[in-house]
Amino acid sequence: MILRSGFLETLGRRAAFTRRHRGPFAAPFDGDVDDSRDAPAGYHAGDRVLFAWHQRDTAIGVASFDTAGRQVGEPQSFSGGGRWPRIAAHQRKSAVASAGTGRLTVRLHDGDRWQEPVTLAGPDGAIAFAPDGTLTAATSDGLWRFDGRVFSRVRNGSYAHPALAVAADGEPHVAYERGGEVWYGDERLGAGRRPSIVAAPDGIHVAWISDDGIHLRQRTG
């Protein structure tokens, strides 16, 4: 993997600049560019900040920083990784998922080392950790949970461009696209694309974009 001069320093400044945000940063999840270093995926885990990017179809890069912007360990590079990585973290665990041709490749760091990659059917997907540290994934082929070795399907469904959050009770919540509209579960929310979702103490929050702006919906209880 080629790291241009100043790239890691730039990521370190981003990590140090972010104070109160927790969870994923906004980042593009598709497009034709061969290199996403200008818009890497990021995740603030409280005690560390993680970034992931792709370079062509040949490598996925991951770098970790503390909240002062100091690099933690050496950047990691995974070959054959696809494009447009997503990243999530929980306590000492981290996970990176990247989209390939008809599949989602997921790599889990268990706190000590990166495990072997696991693939899921579906050209697009999202990952999130449950409060107990269980890794969950939503793809165009369903909803999945990782048992430390394999993913097991826990719900059928076809989720296009999904967004995934896991509530405090362990229940996964998915927002996704269908026919030019955004859906949450079996509920149509409105015309639009690219949903995001957050499971907060006051309920589930879904946001998406459409031709007339940004829309927000909340479900309490």
Side-chain angles (χ1 to χ4, degrees):
M1 171 163 287
I2 300 172
L3 296 177
R4 62 175 179 252
S5 177
F7 173 63
L8 294 176
E9 289 78 3
T10 298
L11 295 184
R13 287 193 292 272
R14 292 186 191 180
F17 180 79
T18 304
R19 301 291 184 182
R20 296 185 178 180
H21 177 83
R22 296 294 182 269
F25 299 120
F29 281 158
D30 63 11
D32 296 328
V33 299
D34 289 333
D35 189 329
S36 69
R37 284 177 295 177
D38 289 336
Y43 194 97
H44 199 306
D47 62 340
R48 67 194 190 283
V49 184
L50 305 162
F51 296 97
W53 62 92
H54 76 263
Q55 289 182 232
R56 300 188 182 275
D57 290 323
T58 59
I60 296 293
V62 181
S64 178
F65 300 83
D66 65 19
T67 54
R70 294 182 293 261
Q71 190 175 325
V72 179
E74 292 298 317
Q76 300 295 308
S77 177
F78 305 110
S79 61
R83 293 186 171 207
W84 301 111
R86 297 90 162 120
I87 194 162
H90 174 78
Q91 296 179 357
R92 297 181 65 227
K93 293 181 179 179
S94 309
V96 177
S98 52
T101 303
R103 72 184 191 281
L104 192 74
T105 299
V106 182
R107 294 174 174 85
L108 175 69
H109 192 285
D110 60 11
D112 296 315
R113 62 181 181 85
W114 287 100
Q115 299 183 3
E116 291 298 313
V118 180
T119 58
L120 287 168
D124 193 16
I127 55 173
F129 283 100
D132 66 357
T134 300
L135 182 62
T136 305
T139 76
S140 57
D141 201 38
L143 186 69
W144 309 78
R145 284 198 179 100
F146 189 60
D147 66 4
R149 187 175 57 87
V150 298
F151 277 96
S152 299
R153 192 197 309 269
V154 295
R155 185 186 303 166
N156 291 322
S158 181
Y159 304 117
H161 301 302
L164 173 65
V166 184
D169 62 1
E171 179 68 20
H173 298 266
V174 185
Y176 58 99
E177 297 178 25
R178 181 196 294 169
E181 299 176 325
V182 171
W183 292 69
Y184 163 67
D186 295 327
E187 179 182 354
R188 175 190 175 276
L189 299 183
R193 58 196 181 277
R194 284 303 178 193
S196 61
I197 189 168
V198 174
D202 62 347
I204 305 300
H205 300 258
V206 180
W208 69 95
I209 59 175
S210 70
D211 293 340
D212 60 355
I214 298 174
H215 298 260
L216 302 170
R217 289 281 295 274
Q218 177 185 5
R219 169 168 285 187
T220 60

